[in-house]
Amino acid sequence: MEPMKTVRTAVVLLVLLAAAGLAFIYSGLYNVAADEEHSGFVRWVLHTTQSKSVHRRAEQVVVPDWVAKPSPAALRTGFIHYQEMCATCHGAPGVPISEIGQGLNPAPPELSGHAEDPDESFWIIKHGIKMTGMPGFGVTHDDEEIWAIVAFLQAMPKMTQEDYKKMVAEVWTESPVI
Ligand code: HEC
C-alpha cells in the first residue's frame, strides 16, 4: 500500500473506534452495579493499573525507623484509628467485615491475616485508591498518625481475637470520647 493510503486507513479506523467507544458510553449498556462482578478483563485492567501505580509511587516513600519497633503509645494510636476508621471495611481479629464492607466492589480485603510492605500501606492509606471504596486519609491525618496505623497493621497479624477484644475494652472504657 502507498504510505498515504496506509495513513488514511489508520485514521479512519481510529475515528471508527472512537465513535464505537462513544456510542457504547452513551448507550448506557455498561452495567455500573456494584453487586455485579467485573468481567475478567476489566478486573485485570483495574488490578494491574492499581498495583503498578502504587508500587511505583511507594518507591519514593521512606519508612521511619521506629515503625518496625513502635512504642506502646504509637501502637495504641494506630489501634484507635484502625478500630474507628478501618475495621468497618477491613475487619479485625474477631471482628467480621461489616455490612458496608460486604457491599463494596472491589471487596476490601481482610487485613488481620498478613501485613503488606509498610511503604505501600502508607501510600495507600495516605492517598486512597480511586474508584474503590478506599478513602485517602492524608486529607484528615498527618504522616505521623498514618505511620502509627501502618505500625499497627504490621502488628495485627500476631494478635489473637482475645488481644483485640481486650484492647477495645481498655481504650473505650478508659476514654469513651476520642
Ligand atoms: C469504606 C471502606 C473502606 C475503609 C473505611 C477503609 N478501606 Fe482500605 N480498602 C478498601 C477497598 C475497597 C480497598 C481496595 C480493594 C481492591 O482494590 O481490591 C482497600 C484497600 C486497602 C489496602 C490495600 C490492601 C491490599 O491488599 O492491596 C490497605 C492496606 C488498606 N485498604 C488499609 C486501610 C486502612 C488502614 C484503613 C483505615 C485507616 C482503611 N483501609 C479504610 C475499603 C476501605
Side-chain angles (χ1 to χ4, degrees):
M1 245 198 274
E2 296 164 36
M4 274 314 286
K5 240 185 181 171
T6 317
V7 171
R8 221 179 301 144
T9 315
V11 170
V12 169
L13 271 177
L14 277 177
V15 170
L16 281 177
L17 260 177
L22 272 179
F24 181 65
I25 291 169
Y26 275 89
S27 69
L29 280 172
Y30 186 79
N31 189 356
V32 295
D35 63 357
E36 193 195 70
E37 281 295 310
H38 280 305
S39 70
F41 174 69
V42 173
R43 200 175 323 129
W44 177 84
V45 169
L46 294 177
H47 181 79
T48 310
T49 307
Q50 177 182 316
S51 65
K52 298 286 175 201
S53 173
V54 171
H55 190 72
R56 182 178 185 135
R57 283 160 180 79
E59 278 175 2
Q60 317 292 324
V61 173
V62 182
V63 183
D65 290 339
W66 64 264
V67 170
K69 283 201 185 86
S71 66
L75 264 188
R76 190 174 187 274
T77 302
F79 158 71
I80 292 170
H81 285 299
Y82 188 85
Q83 170 62 15
E84 287 200 319
M85 304 187 305
C86 323
T88 306
C89 286
H90 292 288
V95 180
I97 291 177
S98 74
E99 289 169 359
I100 294 175
Q102 288 178 39
L104 286 173
N105 183 1
E110 289 262 6
L111 297 178
S112 55
H114 76 285
E116 303 286 323
D117 289 346
D119 51 355
E120 297 212 352
S121 294
F122 176 84
W123 193 92
I124 290 172
I125 298 165
K126 179 165 176 161
H127 300 286
I129 305 171
K130 278 189 181 117
M131 289 191 279
T132 73
M134 178 61 195
F137 290 93
V139 176
T140 44
H141 294 74
D142 61 28
D143 285 6
E144 188 89 356
E145 289 170 308
I146 297 174
W147 280 119
I149 299 171
V150 173
F152 179 76
L153 286 186
Q154 300 291 312
M156 190 163 54
K158 287 169 234 130
M159 286 176 193
T160 64
Q161 300 190 3
E162 287 311 310
D163 295 336
Y164 197 84
K165 216 191 230 169
K166 223 172 99 196
M167 289 176 86
V168 172
E170 274 169 18
V171 169
W172 272 272
T173 44
E174 266 172 32
S175 47
V177 181
I178 290 159

